C-alpha cells in the first residue's frame, strides 16, 4: 500500500511509520513542507491538528486518495468537509483508533437504554501537551450513551490516554475503564482502517464500521 502521512515528524507520525513498516511512504506533510516521491498515495493518514485539515482534504482530492483521520477537536464545518470528501473517496474518521475503546463504545451503545436512569460521569486523563478538553474519545463515548454525562479532564505527564466511565444508582456502582499503554495501539488501528479504506467504496465511515465489517468476514 502506498500511503501519505500528515504530521510525519510528530509523536503519532513516528508511531504510524513503525506500524506501516511493510508499506510504502510516498508523501509527507510537516509544518507547511510537503515531500513526495512522485507517486499517488492510495491512502492519506492524518493524526495532526485541525488546522491541517483543508490541505489534507485538497491532497486527497488531487490524488484520489482515501483518508484515515484521527485528528481531535473537529467542529461541524470540519465534519461537513469530510462528508463532502466522502462522496468521492473513502473517509474513515474516529477520535480513537484503539480496538478496546471502540469495543467499549459498541457495548455502551447496545446497553445505553438500561443505564439511562443511572448517574453517569466520565473521567479522561491525557498527557500535558494535549490541547483539547474533554477529549474526542470522551465525547464519542458520551454520544454512545445517548444521554448527558458529567465529564472531568486531567492533563498530566505523558499519559497516552485513560478513560473511565462510572455509573451509580442507589444500590450499586458499575464502571468501565480503558487504558492505552502506548500510542502504538492507535497506529495499528489506523493501519487496519487504511487497509479497509484502500478497497472500500466512497463514503464516510467510523472505525466502528471498519470493525463490524471485520466481524462479518
Amino acid at each position: 500500500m502506498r500511503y501519505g502521512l500528515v504530521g510525519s515528524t510528530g509523536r503519532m507520525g513516528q508511531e504510524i511509520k513503525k506500524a506501516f513498516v511493510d508499506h510504502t511512504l510516498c508523501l509527507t506533510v510537516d509544518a507547511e513542507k510537503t515531500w513526495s516521491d512522485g507517486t499517488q498515495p492510495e491512502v492519506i493518514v492524518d493524526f495532526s491538528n485541525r488546522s491541517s485539515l483543508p490541505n489534507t482534504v485538497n491532497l486527497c482530492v488531487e490524488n484520489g486518495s482515501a483518508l484515515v483521520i484521527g485528528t481531535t477537536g473537529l467542529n461541524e464545518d470540519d465534519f461537513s468537509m469530510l462528508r463532502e470528501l466522502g462522496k468521492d473517496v473513502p473517509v474513515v474518521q474516529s477520535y480513537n483508533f484503539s480496538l478496546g475503546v471502540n469495543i467499549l463504545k459498541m457495548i455502551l451503545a447496545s446497553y445505553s437504554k438500561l443505564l439511562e436512569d443511572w448517574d453517569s460521569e466520565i473521567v479522561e486523563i491525557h498527557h500535558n501537551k494535549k490541547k483539547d478538553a474533554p477529549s474526542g474519545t470522551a465525547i464519542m463515548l458520551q454520544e454512545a450513551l445517548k444521554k448527558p454525562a458529567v465529564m472531568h479532564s486531567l492533563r498530566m505527564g505523558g499519559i497516552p490516554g485513560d478513560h473511565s466511565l462510572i455509573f451509580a444508582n442507589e444500590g450499586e456502582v458499575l464502571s468501565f475503564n480503558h487504558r492505552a499503554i502506548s500510542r502504538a495501539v492507535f497506529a495499528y488501528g489506523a493501519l487496519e482502517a487504511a487497509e479497509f479504506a484502500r478497497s472500500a467504496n466512497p463514503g464516510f465511515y467510523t472505525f466502528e464500521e471498519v470493525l463490524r465489517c471485520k466481524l462479518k468476514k
Side-chain angles (χ1 to χ4, degrees):
M1 176 172 56
R2 298 185 312 280
Y3 76 101
L5 181 56
V6 180
S8 65
T9 60
R11 286 174 294 180
M12 269 306 302
Q14 296 298 315
E15 294 292 345
I16 288 166
K17 283 190 280 190
K18 292 176 187 175
F20 283 63
V21 67
D22 294 327
H23 302 280
T24 302
L25 179 60
C26 63
L27 171 72
T28 62
V29 180
D30 289 290
E32 308 303 323
K33 182 180 179 181
T34 301
W35 167 86
S36 171
D37 70 358
T39 62
Q40 292 180 308
E42 297 169 85
V43 182
I44 291 176
V45 182
D46 185 355
F47 276 64
S48 59
N49 58 71
R50 64 175 299 268
S51 63
S52 301
L53 183 59
N55 184 50
T56 297
V57 169
N58 286 337
L59 286 171
C60 290
V61 172
E62 291 171 6
N63 291 282
S65 307
L67 174 63
V68 173
I69 181 159
T71 302
T72 61
L74 302 181
N75 60 31
E76 280 307 312
D77 289 340
D78 300 327
F79 278 104
S80 294
M81 192 186 309
L82 292 173
R83 290 189 182 96
E84 188 65 26
L85 176 64
K87 294 178 181 179
D88 299 315
V89 300
V91 175
V92 181
Q93 183 276 333
S94 181
Y95 285 135
N96 193 308
F97 279 85
S98 151
L99 178 63
V101 161
N102 282 273
I103 291 173
L104 176 55
K105 176 187 172 187
M106 294 159 74
I107 292 169
L108 293 173
S110 297
Y111 296 100
S112 61
K113 186 74 174 175
L114 298 176
L115 293 165
E116 61 183 12
D117 295 328
W118 295 50
D119 294 332
S120 309
E121 303 209 4
I122 299 173
V123 181
E124 55 96 354
I125 311 173
H126 285 85
H127 55 87
N128 56 23
K129 293 181 176 60
K130 184 173 178 61
K131 297 178 181 178
D132 57 310
S135 68
T137 301
I139 294 170
M140 183 176 76
L141 294 173
Q142 179 184 253
E143 289 173 349
L145 281 175
K146 302 181 179 70
K147 70 171 215 169
V150 177
M151 288 196 268
H152 308 273
S153 299
L154 304 178
R155 298 292 175 262
M156 306 173 69
I159 299 170
D162 283 11
H163 291 85
S164 299
L165 294 91
I166 306 163
F167 303 92
N169 59 24
E170 291 298 326
E172 55 190 327
V173 175
L174 174 65
S175 63
F176 296 91
N177 301 284
H178 178 272
R179 168 167 291 182
I181 299 171
S182 165
R183 288 184 181 85
V185 67
F186 310 122
Y188 284 110
L191 176 58
E192 193 154 349
E195 290 171 337
F196 165 88
R198 70 187 296 207
S199 60
N201 293 323
F204 182 83
Y205 302 91
T206 65
F207 188 48
E208 179 184 335
E209 290 175 284
V210 173
L211 297 181
R212 290 190 183 280
C213 285
K214 187 175 180 179
L215 283 175
K216 295 175 182 178
K217 293 182 179 179

